[in-house]
């Protein structure tokens, strides 16, 4: 893979930036539920509260986050805004069943339990405490057009 001089080593060109209710709680949740790792860099305010955090998965950047109100923002989490975002984050993992079990134990809502999909992945859809949807997948086979739903 070619190194891109404009991209930090462990980063991806597309990195979501999440607004969370409480950054420390969110980082703890993502570690317990999804086996994400906190980045080494966390910015704190004068009271010691995290105002910027980073999450990594298998050595790669997966997301950045800040709590509601950080940096003068008026953005709110989907849960606090009372909305359902029309997107989710699709994350490949080694064992989707384990992630779903860990996420449920950590306080997430399992919107769709693990199941085999026609495109070859086993997936589960999980809602985190801030209202974000995460779709975890483990590749189990190749896409089989014969198994695709017919219109």
């Amino acid at each position: 893979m070619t190194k891109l001089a404009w991209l930090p080593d462990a980063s991806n060109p597309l990195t979501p930036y999440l607004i969370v209710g409480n950054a420390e709680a969110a980082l703890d949740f993502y570690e317990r539920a999804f086996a994400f790792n906190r980045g080494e860099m966390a910015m704190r305010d004068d009271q010691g509260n995290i105002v910027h955090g980073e999450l990594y998965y298998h050595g790669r950047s997966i997301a950045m986050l800040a709590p509601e109100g950080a940096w003068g923002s008026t953005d709110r989490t989907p849960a606090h805004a009372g909305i359902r975002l029309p997107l989710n984050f699709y994350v490949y993992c080694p064992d989707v069943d384990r992630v779903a079990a860990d996420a449920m134990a950590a306080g997430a809502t399992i919107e769709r339990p693990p199941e085999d999909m026609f495109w070859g992945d086993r997936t589960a859809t999980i809602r985190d405490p801030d209202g974000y949807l995460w779709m975890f997948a483990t590749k189990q086979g190749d896409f089989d057009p014969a198994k695709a739903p017919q219109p």
Side-chain angles (χ1 to χ4, degrees):
M1 181 179 286
T2 303
K3 181 173 171 57
L4 303 173
W6 51 267
L7 184 67
D9 287 340
S11 293
N12 294 303
L14 175 64
T15 303
Y17 201 104
L18 308 176
I19 300 301
V20 297
N22 176 295
E24 188 70 43
L27 289 166
D28 287 343
F29 169 81
Y30 291 130
E31 285 180 316
R32 287 181 291 120
F34 301 154
F36 293 169
N37 298 305
R38 294 175 188 230
E40 293 180 17
M41 200 276 288
M43 294 181 188
R44 296 181 180 273
D45 64 14
D46 295 342
Q47 291 79 37
N49 299 312
I50 296 174
V51 294
H52 170 85
E54 298 178 352
L55 294 165
Y56 291 81
Y57 191 59
H58 295 275
R60 303 294 297 184
S61 171
I62 191 105
M64 296 180 194
L65 58 80
E68 295 173 328
W71 314 108
S73 171
T74 58
D75 293 338
R76 302 188 65 198
T77 70
H80 290 159
I83 61 170
R84 181 181 175 96
L85 290 180
L87 65 92
N88 64 47
F89 303 105
Y90 201 94
V91 182
Y92 280 99
C93 65
D95 184 350
V96 70
D97 293 273
R98 168 76 358 226
V99 170
D102 289 349
M104 191 165 63
T109 302
I110 307 301
E111 293 234 333
R112 198 177 42 70
E115 66 179 308
D116 295 336
M117 305 305 289
F118 68 88
W119 59 85
D121 292 348
R122 182 168 177 76
T123 68
T125 303
I126 302 164
R127 180 177 302 283
D128 73 25
D130 284 311
Y132 294 103
L133 285 174
W134 298 83
M135 191 171 189
F136 281 85
T138 302
K139 181 174 174 55
Q140 296 201 314
D142 293 325
F143 170 63
D144 181 354
K147 294 181 181 176
Q150 299 303 311

